[in-house]
């Protein structure tokens, strides 16, 4: 029988590329990037680096007396997760809700990420939650950050979530008080709030990370992280026009989804821009367009969920009667379906067709670099050599042409990263690049412990911390509840599901959490806790069906990144994987569980 390695076979005869050569190239590129230190290569933003997470957007600091009151439901985080959970709880009749939010307003990711060019890269008609509930249609296919931030605030107003919310307030600890069956939630404003139920919507990527480049603290110029864009320094705003950079030499470290969006704006105005690249992103066509008012007016009730499910089906490889979103995310699947039709009779099996389609898609991405970048050496450096979805795909029409500008230089570190930072600049391959400012587009913590990413520890029954409890691996039912931590819910992809469209997952988790909490409140139930058996069974399911840290994408054969625990999958990261049968099956698991109305696996105490 033929194998994918069998390049001489007829089935590969009509290809205009050599799959073996590509496989070998991918392996070489991955090997170049593998590092022994994995996640430890990054610095945590605390101590001397804590100022990197100061809020540059607040107009005035909130001064208030500490609170020691009680609420029925406390939601930690005022991003989409907290807002969606708040919305579904309100709809289920829960009145006493408080959101605690570190930022000065609702918005979460979209509160913090205001860098120039920030916009959603999942279509806004499916990315923005609760569109039908609010009667809103975004103004563009890919809405900009300021519109998404305003929309987040509109959700807050629509569901009365401003009432009782605490902004500029950071949770510092959660501790279960057995004597009163309540959580005591402490904050940096000295609050000690009692909460009957808590849902933690901390966000999957809210803790910025810095590269542990030697000398990072020596630099005498200006620095900031993209998630705290310093418009004081750069001038301009999210729409660009960064005029204060006109006499500045600027370094951007990182070439992930954030850099792809902000680099064109920095390149447009900076006197000199150096982009320090370790791994190139795949940069596909953006193709943004304003919303057609006629189309918007004709949308029928139920359109939003239908569109979300259509997209999720396609990107999960489940054929749909039509492709409603039709963009770079669904294109790969479209190619796959065409290839399946053409492959009949050629003796190709499913993994072979998938691999070939992926090669073809990435060949297109690489050809696009040649089309848009004038210097052939620079173009070569910008080509990604890994499978699509090994890294987060990006979509942008201005990033690649930015490297044609005379004031913009790509510094290709050949997978190694910046060697050293000095008082005056950055060193790569023995050459120093002197700059006035370093912008860290280096992303967010993903593979570190839950408490470190959340920024606070959770102490459950008998004072046991969540970090200790999960030291050997995460343990939960449906990724939302963990034994020993009653009345506490988590919203994340770990042991739940991975979807390219993250708010879709939040929608399903919110519905589920609201169902359990509203039932408990109605029935005057004091504590809700997962049984030992149910939790063990779910963890076993996750491990048995496990397909890696991101549910099959970014596998161990991929170039390192946060999708695969920086190329170092370990038993803990595999145990925290999303449900291996995919998000559609996971949503069905939750739906069926609720439909039974038996609260299987939960212990209630009145
Ligand atoms: P990423 O983690 O995706 O990228 C970080 C970048 O920093 C990578 O290019 C990484 O290189 C580079 N890097 C890290 N350390 C070094 C070093 N020592 N020297 C040089 N380079 C280094 O972060 P982003 O903020 O770009 O994106 C995070 C996620 O946020 C995205 O994956 C996406 O999920 C989301 N996002 C969504 C957007 C949207 O919806 N519109 C827009 C932006 C982000 P390497 O790849 O080699 O590790």
């Amino acid at each position: 029988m033929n194998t994918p390695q069998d390049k001489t076979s007829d089935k590969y005869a009509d290809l205009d590329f050599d799959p073996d050569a590509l496989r070998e190239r991918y392996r070489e590129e991955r090997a170049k990037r593998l590092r022994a230190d994995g996640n430890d290569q990054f610095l945590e933003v605390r101590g001397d680096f804590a100022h990197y997470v100061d809020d540059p957007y607040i107009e005035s600091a909130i001064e208030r007396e500490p609170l020691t009151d009680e609420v029925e439901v406390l939601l930690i985080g005022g991003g989409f997760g907290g807002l969606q959970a708040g919305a579904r709880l309100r709809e289920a009749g829960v009145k006493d809700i408080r959101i605690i939010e570190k930022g000065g307003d609702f918005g979460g990711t979209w509160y913090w990420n205001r860098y120039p060019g920030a916009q959603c890269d999942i279509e806004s008609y499916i990315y923005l939650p609760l569109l039908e509930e609010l009667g809103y249609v975004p103004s563009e296919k890919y809405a900009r950050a300021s519109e998404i931030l305003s929309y987040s605030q509109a959700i807050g107003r629509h569901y009365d979530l401003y009432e009782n919310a605490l902004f500029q307030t950071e949770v510092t600890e959660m501790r279960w008080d057995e004597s009163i069956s309540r959580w005591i939630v402490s904050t940096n404003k000295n609050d000690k709030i009692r909460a009957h139920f808590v849902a933690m919507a901390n966000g999957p990527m809210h803790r910025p990370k810095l590269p542990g480049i030697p000398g990072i603290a020596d630099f005498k110029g200006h620095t900031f992280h993209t998630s705290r864009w310093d418009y004081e320094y750069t001038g301009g705003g999210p729409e660009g026009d960064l005029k204060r950079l006109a006499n500045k030499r600027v370094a951007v470290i990182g070439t992930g989804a954030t850099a792809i969006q902000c680099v064109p704006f920095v390149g447009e105005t900076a006197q000199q821009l150096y982009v320090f690249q370790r791994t190139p992103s795949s940069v596909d066509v953006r193709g943004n367009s304003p919303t057609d008012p006629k189309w918007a007016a004709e949308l029928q009730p139920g359109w939003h969920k239908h569109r979300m499910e259509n997209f999720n089906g396609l990107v999960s490889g489940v054929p749909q009667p039509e492709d409603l979103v039709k963009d770079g995310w669904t294109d790969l699947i479209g190619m796959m379906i065409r290839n399946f039709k053409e492959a009949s009779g050629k003796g190709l099996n499913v993994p072979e067709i998938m691999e070939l389609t992926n090669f073809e898609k990435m060949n297109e991405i690489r050809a696009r670099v040649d089309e848009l970048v004038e210097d052939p050496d620079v173009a070569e450096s910008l080509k990604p050599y890994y499978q699509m979805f090994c890294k987060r795909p990006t979509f942008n029409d201005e990033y690649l042409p930015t490297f044609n500008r005379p004031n913009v230089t790509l510094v290709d570190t050949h997978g190694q990263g910046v060697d050293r930072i000095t008082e005056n600049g950055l060193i790569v391959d023995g050459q120093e690049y002197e700059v006035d400012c370093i912008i860290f587009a280096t992303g967010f913590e993903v593979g570190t412990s839950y408490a470190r990413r959340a920024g606070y520890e959770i102490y459950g029954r008998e004072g046991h911390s969540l970090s200790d409890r999960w030291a050997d691996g995460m343990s939960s039912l449906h990724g939302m509840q963990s034994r020993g931590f009653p009345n506490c819910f988590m919203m994340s992809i770990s042991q739940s599901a991975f979807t390219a469209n993250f708010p879709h997952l939040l929608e399903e988790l919110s519905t589920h959490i609201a169902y359990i909490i509203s039932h408990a409140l109605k029935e005057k139930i004091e504590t809700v806790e997962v049984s030992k058996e149910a939790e063990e069974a779910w963890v076993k399911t996750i491990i048995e069906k496990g397909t890696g840290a991101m549910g099959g994408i970014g596998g161990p054969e991929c170039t390192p990144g946060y999708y695969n625990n920086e190329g170092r999958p370990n038993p803990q990261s595999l145990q925290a994987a999303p449900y291996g049968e995919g998000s559609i099956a996971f949503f069905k698991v939750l739906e069926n569980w609720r439909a039974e109305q038996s609260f299987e696996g939960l212990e209630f105490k009145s």
Side-chain angles (χ1 to χ4, degrees):
M1 194 183 140
N2 290 318
T3 68
Q5 277 70 34
D6 188 1
K7 74 170 173 177
T8 54
S9 132
D10 280 341
K11 62 192 178 183
Y12 291 128
D14 50 0
L15 294 178
D16 58 1
F17 61 91
D18 177 355
D20 275 348
L22 270 183
R23 280 185 207 108
E24 186 50 32
R25 178 74 194 263
Y26 286 10
R27 269 194 289 274
E28 283 167 15
E29 292 291 328
R30 174 178 185 274
K32 258 198 316 206
R33 287 169 173 78
L34 261 185
R35 305 165 53 117
D37 51 3
N39 265 315
D40 294 336
Q41 67 181 282
F42 298 107
L43 287 177
E44 196 176 352
V45 279
R46 59 189 178 117
D48 290 347
F49 299 99
H51 63 278
Y52 279 96
V53 284
D54 288 349
D55 185 345
Y57 313 122
I58 50 171
E59 277 151 26
S60 57
I62 296 172
E63 303 286 342
R64 61 171 175 79
E65 291 301 310
L67 292 172
T68 53
D69 57 353
E70 178 163 329
V71 290
E72 276 183 343
V73 185
L74 189 87
L75 301 171
I76 302 178
F80 280 178
L83 290 168
Q84 287 173 260
R88 295 303 176 216
L89 283 159
R90 282 274 193 255
E91 287 168 355
V94 180
K95 295 209 165 47
D96 188 12
I97 300 173
R98 170 174 293 156
I99 296 187
I100 295 189
E101 166 55 50
K102 173 170 73 167
D105 207 326
F106 290 132
T109 290
W110 300 99
Y111 177 85
W112 298 111
N113 289 281
R114 302 184 190 193
Y115 57 82
Q119 61 182 158
C120 61
D121 63 4
I122 297 285
E123 193 200 61
S124 53
Y125 314 130
I126 56 168
Y127 178 79
L128 266 58
L130 303 162
L131 285 176
E132 286 192 70
E133 287 81 346
L134 267 79
Y136 184 75
V137 180
S139 65
E140 292 177 282
K141 189 167 170 76
Y142 302 96
R144 278 145 226 266
S146 52
E147 179 174 352
I148 307 178
L149 178 58
S150 306
Y151 181 69
S152 306
Q153 294 157 353
I155 299 174
R157 287 193 296 276
H158 185 87
Y159 287 99
D160 282 336
L161 296 168
Y162 276 98
E163 180 200 329
N164 221 7
L166 299 178
F167 294 107
Q168 295 177 21
T169 303
E170 235 175 299
V171 171
T172 51
E173 182 189 281
M174 260 174 72
R175 195 173 279 275
W176 177 249
D177 186 334
E178 191 71 47
S179 65
I180 53 171
S181 295
R182 294 290 182 269
W183 285 98
I184 309 295
V185 179
S186 307
T187 75
N188 64 345
K189 294 236 181 313
N190 295 321
D191 305 307
K192 284 211 180 302
I193 299 160
R194 295 184 302 284
H196 192 172
F197 292 93
V198 179
M200 299 184 287
N202 307 315
M205 290 193 191
H206 93 287
R207 194 90 187 139
K209 67 182 190 228
L210 293 173
I213 300 170
I216 185 170
D218 299 343
F219 183 63
K220 294 265 188 280
H222 194 70
T223 61
F224 58 90
H225 187 275
T226 47
S227 66
R228 306 288 189 275
W229 194 272
D230 190 347
Y231 285 110
E232 262 310 291
Y233 182 84
T234 65
E239 305 300 325
D241 195 19
L242 312 174
K243 38 180 141 4
R244 291 191 198 143
L245 294 183
N247 58 355
K248 299 279 189 296
R249 298 157 303 169
V250 181
V252 170
I253 302 185
T255 50
T258 298
I260 301 304
Q261 292 186 331
C262 70
V263 156
F265 293 90
V266 181
E268 198 173 68
T269 39
Q271 178 194 324
Q272 172 66 44
L273 167 63
Y274 298 106
V275 178
F276 290 84
Q277 172 184 277
R278 197 162 69 173
T279 313
S281 277
S282 72
V283 190
D284 208 345
V285 177
R286 168 72 304 162
N288 198 10
S289 53
T291 300
D292 173 1
K294 188 167 171 290
W295 169 82
E298 285 169 2
L299 290 166
Q300 296 300 312
W303 72 268
H304 188 221
K305 186 138 211 243
H306 176 60
R307 199 171 178 95
M308 286 199 299
E309 288 178 348
N310 176 267
F311 175 85
N312 199 35
L314 284 169
V315 293
S316 306
V318 179
Q320 304 290 310
E322 58 181 330
D323 177 356
L324 293 171
V325 170
K326 279 199 210 77
D327 70 358
W329 291 95
T330 57
D331 184 46
L332 181 69
I333 310 300
M335 277 175 79
M336 199 121 29
I337 293 166
R338 283 193 298 280
N339 281 1
F340 274 113
K341 286 187 186 142
E342 284 166 19
S344 59
K346 284 192 193 163
L348 289 161
N349 62 31
V350 174
E352 285 169 339
I353 296 170
M354 285 171 69
E355 189 196 36
L356 285 184
T357 310
N358 204 308
F359 281 148
E360 279 173 28
K361 181 73 205 174
M362 289 305 281
N363 281 343
E364 265 182 33
I365 297 280
R366 288 185 282 267
R368 185 167 187 253
V369 182
D370 283 327
E371 271 165 38
L372 297 177
V373 178
E374 288 157 11
D375 182 319
D377 292 335
V378 178
E380 200 47 42
S381 288
L382 285 165
K383 290 180 189 167
Y385 282 94
Y386 45 79
Q387 292 259 338
M388 179 96 176
F389 299 125
C390 270
K391 293 234 162 209
R392 166 88 178 199
T394 73
F395 308 89
N396 195 287
D397 299 332
E398 289 83 33
Y399 176 76
L400 293 168
T402 296
F403 293 95
N404 298 331
R405 287 179 174 275
N407 63 326
V408 177
T409 306
L410 178 74
V411 183
D412 184 359
T413 69
H414 301 286
Q416 304 307 301
V418 173
D419 294 331
R420 166 165 287 281
I421 294 180
T422 64
E423 282 190 6
N424 302 317
L426 306 91
I427 297 183
V428 172
D429 276 345
Q431 183 176 344
E432 182 167 16
Y433 298 84
E434 288 198 2
V435 294
D436 303 299
C437 173
I438 301 177
I439 301 173
F440 291 104
T442 43
F444 304 86
E445 292 201 10
V446 173
T448 50
S449 79
Y450 186 89
R452 172 170 156 172
R453 276 176 290 132
Y456 55 90
E457 187 56 90
I458 302 126
Y459 296 95
R461 285 198 200 280
E462 294 162 21
H464 293 306
S465 72
L466 191 70
S467 297
D468 284 347
R469 175 89 214 293
W470 288 1
D472 295 327
M474 180 179 174
S475 192
S476 79
L477 174 63
H478 301 149
M480 283 181 267
Q481 293 164 275
S482 191
R483 186 161 177 81
F485 301 84
N487 297 1
C488 176
F489 297 81
M490 282 158 260
M491 300 176 81
S492 84
I493 66 164
S494 298
Q495 295 191 353
S496 69
F498 177 82
T499 51
N501 183 16
F502 188 62
H504 188 173
L505 170 69
L506 294 174
E507 166 62 23
E508 303 290 338
L509 299 182
S510 299
T511 302
H512 198 74
I513 291 170
Y515 173 75
I516 299 172
I517 293 181
S518 60
H519 170 82
L521 288 172
K522 263 180 227 137
E523 301 301 319
K524 310 246 175 299
I525 290 164
E526 276 298 285
T527 61
V528 177
E529 188 170 4
V530 182
S531 74
K532 189 168 177 291
E533 297 71 30
E535 184 169 296
E536 282 172 1
W538 186 249
V539 172
K540 192 162 169 270
T541 304
I542 292 291
I543 294 170
E544 279 174 4
K545 294 187 188 294
T547 45
M550 292 281 170
I553 61 162
E557 74 292 347
C558 275
T559 188
Y562 74 82
Y563 274 7
N564 64 358
N565 205 41
E566 298 300 329
R568 303 261 159 217
N570 56 26
Q572 281 93 334
S573 70
L574 295 177
Q575 189 165 320
Y579 184 62
E581 284 187 15
S583 57
I584 298 173
F586 177 72
F587 299 160
K588 202 76 205 152
V589 167
L590 297 186
E591 195 185 321
N592 291 343
W593 186 93
R594 293 193 298 272
E596 279 178 17
Q597 299 187 359
S598 61
F599 297 89
E600 179 74 30
L602 297 187
E603 294 171 356
F604 290 145
K605 288 207 183 94
S606 299

